[in-house]
Amino acid sequence: MDTTDKKTIKGGEFLISETQYQDVFIPEEFDEEQVMIAQTCRDFLIAEVFPNLDRIDAQEEGLMQSLLEKAGELGILGVSIPEEFGGFGKNFNTSMLVADIIGAGHSFAVALSAHTGIGTLPILYYGNQEQKAKYIPKLGTGEWKASYCLTEPNAGSDANSGRTKAKLSEDGKHYIINGQKMWITNGGFADIFIVFAKIDDDKNLTAFIVERDFGGITMNPEEHKMGIKGSSTRQVFFNDCRVPLENMLSERENGFKIAVNILNIGRIKLAAAAIGASKKVIDHAINYSNERVQFERMISKYGAIRHKLAEMATKVYAVESASYRAGQNIDDAYDALVAGGMDASKAKLKSTEQFAVECAILKVWGSEALDYVVDEGVQVYGGMGFSADAPMDRAYRDARINRIFEGTNEINRLLTVDMMLKRAMKGELDLMTPATAVASELMSIPDFGEPDDTLFAAEKKIIQNLKKATLMVAGSAVQKLMMSLSKEQEILMNIADMASYVYVAESAMLRTEKLVSLRGEEACAGQLNMMRIYFVEAIDAVAKAGKEALWAFAEGDELRMMLVGLRRFTKMEPFNVKAARQEVAQQLIAANRYCY
């Protein structure tokens, strides 16, 4: 994709600047090679995964390992790995596409994402040349499988509080690791463990590459879980595990930074996987609604069912729009950093770190869209939805972990605001100037301007106003609460939701605007309807979150003035959402699948 004339944007800047549709990437723009990679992933699921879901969930001995090896033979594990280590060396958005398609693969998707993401990327991005040469080729083929050992019984969201210790051996040739890790995905069969431990009395974690064959590693039996039953999840114990000095990853005490940066990547990849999982569930729901007859009519003819199908599709369309927009932003940032002379591995990390705010938003929005979709999917199936013989049972149970994986959604909401405010304090993001301008605007007579009835004019105005509403509430909260704001988690989560709705709604608009520019308005009727349906949800949600936040910290005339401003910024013209949903549903029903 040509990026020469594209305006580059900084992470979190979406809240204070206007983005043009020409500057975003949309999934309809994937090239022929990327489409072929996606088809390879689909074919693999159809041939190897979907027919074996029960065997996978039963954790049949050796099955998951063989599936990962077969995926490795097809190059699916090596999409992000540079060609010098036997991979395809594709860009970030291509790896997002793989995560998206494989996301429909239930427990296999979890095993693959843990292996290719948090298992492989720490070595690829932080390893020295010798470590990369030794481990990456075998991880890329699936000959070796990887896992990631960060969480401990008393160190979950607060990962840096881990108690696993590493001490230098008397001969000075090994670090001896002792400690306990839990919820370790792929733990039962992994050959390589990325292990985080504190050396002596260090304040921060250090990362190590640990081979199973080093010895001193024992495990509890497989965890019994609500969902993703086919994913190997073990407690792993390190008992005087001797790790050669050369297997320290990066520098001493750099482990926490590694964990944070790798989790940024994991978050946005989780959003991509949730998109693929959601589309599979929507396909099942549409198929069933076209087959199930009640009162002598297919249930797909009833308004209540059509409402559900359209809402499911709308949420997925919006999150998908935002995910590939952010993925391309990461790619563009990487290209710019490399062009400026930065080492490729450092640039990979820096570009993802730059968009950590968007990664956190997408993790939350992707996982919650999937939860909505599977819940409504069960409802479309009715009684059969509750049967373990129908596909919704597994989909419903498997979806739930995603709101906990890669940092809980509550933590990610708090991070969204915390990261934006920290960037503002460092001068990287000027939030206070536009926030102050909004406060001044509240004191003035509204300028309604000239009426504009061109396509997207109303939506662009709404986005501007939703940004103002978010800046007004966030700016006022910072001024009013100062240092105590960090303890006001409910208010922070309100602000996070406001900012997130802005980002996802704007992304849906930009994708739709670009599609219309490519295909014409008539060909994009479904997308236009979904965009507008999502705008109604976003406006109502921003109004509610803003009101709750203001009620929590403002009072008197100040509160009354800001509530008036909030109402002004969350206005929209009447829109027949029912009719729009009907049209979206009719397209889905006619195609008998998710068709956007």
Side-chain angles (χ1 to χ4, degrees):
M1 182 180 176
D2 180 31
T3 60
T4 50
D5 297 323
K6 191 184 298 184
K7 178 181 179 290
T8 54
I9 187 171
K10 289 187 290 189
E13 198 183 345
F14 68 88
L15 193 57
I16 54 174
S17 66
E18 187 177 354
T19 302
Q20 304 300 321
Y21 77 82
Q22 295 92 338
D23 295 330
V24 300
F25 177 87
I26 62 175
E28 291 81 3
E29 292 180 293
F30 279 120
D31 63 30
E32 188 177 346
E33 187 181 14
Q34 290 166 318
V35 169
M36 284 173 61
I37 291 171
Q39 193 57 50
T40 299
C41 294
R42 283 191 198 94
D43 292 343
F44 181 82
L45 291 182
I46 291 166
E48 302 289 348
V49 177
F50 295 150
N52 297 308
L53 288 173
D54 288 337
R55 292 173 60 205
I56 292 169
D57 273 4
Q59 295 204 3
E60 185 179 302
E61 187 70 32
L63 178 57
M64 188 66 86
Q65 296 95 302
S66 73
L67 289 172
L68 287 170
E69 287 160 14
K70 287 177 182 177
E73 288 168 14
L74 292 170
I76 295 171
L77 306 183
V79 168
S80 299
I81 291 173
E83 292 179 20
E84 65 178 297
F85 300 118
F88 288 148
K90 296 302 174 191
N91 67 3
F92 192 79
N93 246 352
T94 308
S95 70
M96 287 278 288
L97 179 59
V98 170
D100 176 341
I101 306 301
I102 295 293
H106 295 279
S107 293
F108 173 74
V110 175
L112 182 137
S113 66
H115 170 82
T116 59
I118 55 180
T120 300
L121 295 183
I123 303 175
L124 184 61
Y125 292 166
Y126 285 97
N128 58 37
Q129 200 60 27
E130 292 76 18
Q131 290 168 341
K132 292 179 190 178
K134 179 178 180 180
Y135 294 108
I136 296 299
K138 290 184 177 181
L139 293 171
T141 62
E143 181 184 343
W144 283 353
K145 290 85 181 169
S147 70
Y148 180 85
C149 299
L150 177 64
T151 302
E152 299 183 15
N154 294 306
S157 298
D158 182 14
N160 205 41
S161 65
R163 296 178 183 174
T164 298
K165 290 289 186 182
K167 284 190 177 295
L168 195 62
S169 62
E170 287 185 12
D171 62 10
K173 294 180 180 177
H174 294 82
Y175 280 103
I176 300 172
I177 296 181
N178 284 280
Q180 175 185 2
K181 300 291 182 176
M182 68 187 303
W183 310 124
I184 306 307
T185 303
N186 295 351
F189 57 77
D191 304 286
I192 304 297
F193 301 85
I194 306 298
V195 181
F196 295 85
K198 287 182 180 174
I199 299 173
D200 300 331
D201 296 320
D202 284 356
K203 182 182 176 185
N204 294 310
L205 296 165
T206 300
F208 299 88
I209 306 169
V210 179
E211 298 178 26
R212 183 183 285 269
D213 292 344
F214 287 167
I217 299 173
T218 56
M219 298 188 186
N220 273 5
E222 291 286 348
E223 299 285 354
H224 296 291
K225 307 186 293 290
M226 181 191 296
I228 58 167
K229 291 177 179 292
S231 165
S232 173
T233 309
R234 297 281 193 103
Q235 286 195 47
V236 181
F237 298 87
F238 297 92
N239 307 290
D240 291 336
C241 177
R242 295 173 68 83
V243 180
L245 240 59
E246 61 266 24
N247 276 50
M248 180 192 287
L249 189 58
S250 184
E251 300 161 3
R252 183 167 175 167
E253 288 200 271
N254 205 34
F256 185 65
K257 188 172 183 180
I258 293 173
V260 168
N261 285 335
I262 295 301
L263 286 174
N264 284 335
I265 299 167
R267 283 168 183 150
I268 190 170
K269 293 283 185 71
L270 185 147
I275 293 162
S278 296
K279 287 180 181 177
K280 186 67 178 173
V281 171
I282 294 170
D283 284 352
H284 281 309
I286 297 167
N287 297 162
Y288 187 77
S289 72
N290 276 335
E291 294 167 1
R292 175 69 168 161
V293 174
Q294 289 289 277
F295 305 106
E296 299 180 352
R297 300 173 78 200
M298 290 185 300
I299 63 170
S300 61
K301 292 187 179 294
Y302 292 105
I305 297 296
R306 290 184 172 187
H307 177 285
K308 293 181 187 304
L309 297 178
E311 280 291 320
M312 291 155 80
T314 295
K315 283 179 168 48
V316 173
Y317 177 78
V319 172
E320 182 181 45
S321 305
S323 296
Y324 288 113
R325 172 191 180 184
Q328 188 63 46
N329 286 151
I330 290 168
D331 274 327
D332 292 344
Y334 169 79
D335 291 341
L337 290 167
V338 170
M342 187 178 284
D343 170 75
S345 293
K346 285 194 175 77
K348 287 278 186 190
L349 286 165
K350 195 71 181 169
S351 58
T352 315
E353 185 185 353
Q354 175 66 252
F355 290 92
V357 170
E358 288 80 354
C359 291
I361 288 172
L362 287 163
K363 190 273 172 179
V364 174
W365 248 240
S367 61
E368 293 185 1
L370 175 58
D371 257 11
Y372 178 88
V373 165
V374 295
D375 190 71
E376 289 291 64
V378 171
Q379 205 68 14
V380 169
Y381 269 69
M384 279 305 295
F386 207 69
S387 168
D389 294 326
M392 290 303 158
D393 165 67
R394 182 182 283 110
Y396 188 86
R397 288 184 291 100
D398 285 355
R400 188 58 184 84
I401 186 60
N402 292 295
R403 282 163 52 199
I404 300 168
F405 265 167
E406 313 291 1
T408 66
N409 283 12
E410 291 72 25
I411 287 290
N412 275 285
R413 280 183 161 92
L414 297 174
L415 277 173
T416 297
V417 182
D418 179 63
M419 288 187 289
M420 291 187 86
L421 292 179
K422 279 181 177 169
R423 289 181 185 190
M425 287 164 61
K426 288 179 185 175
E428 296 171 7
L429 208 58
D430 182 9
L431 294 177
M432 289 316 292
T433 300
T436 304
V438 173
S440 300
E441 186 179 331
L442 293 180
M443 308 294 290
S444 62
I445 300 167
D447 176 17
F448 297 106
E450 294 296 317
D452 185 350
D453 58 0
T454 58
L455 195 61
F456 299 105
E459 285 78 19
K460 288 178 182 179
K461 184 66 176 173
I462 288 167
I463 290 294
Q464 286 175 3
N465 282 337
L466 294 185
K467 289 180 182 182
K468 288 176 181 178
T470 307
L471 288 164
M472 176 188 75
V473 174
S476 181
V478 168
Q479 288 185 321
K480 193 88 173 175
L481 299 169
M482 305 291 282
M483 300 306 292
S484 67
L485 178 59
S486 62
K487 298 174 185 173
E488 296 287 354
Q489 293 191 340
E490 297 96 327
I491 295 170
L492 290 171
M493 289 194 288
N494 286 147
I495 296 168
D497 281 352
M498 296 173 80
S500 300
Y501 266 111
V502 166
Y503 184 66
V504 178
E506 182 181 53
S507 300
M509 178 191 74
L510 293 168
R511 177 184 182 183
T512 309
E513 189 177 10
K514 192 164 199 177
L515 272 176
V516 169
S517 77
L518 296 170
R519 299 178 180 176
E521 184 178 347
E522 191 176 335
C524 301
Q527 289 89 341
L528 284 159
N529 276 318
M530 287 189 292
M531 173 193 72
R532 289 165 182 153
I533 293 165
Y534 194 77
F535 265 62
V536 172
E537 177 185 330
I539 291 163
D540 286 347
V542 168
K544 180 176 183 291
K547 188 167 58 178
E548 285 187 11
L550 292 172
W551 284 351
F553 69 81
E555 56 189 19
D557 289 342
E558 182 189 29
L559 173 61
R560 280 188 287 275
M561 182 181 70
M562 285 195 289
L563 287 173
V564 168
L566 186 65
R567 283 194 292 273
R568 183 198 302 180
F569 295 141
T570 54
K571 270 185 181 175
M572 80 174 291
E573 292 299 312
F575 173 66
N576 190 338
V577 190
K578 171 188 170 289
R581 287 198 198 100
Q582 278 280 334
E583 289 178 25
V584 170
Q586 283 166 8
Q587 284 190 326
L588 295 166
I589 291 160
N592 202 30
R593 63 179 182 85
Y594 181 89
C595 56
Y596 301 108

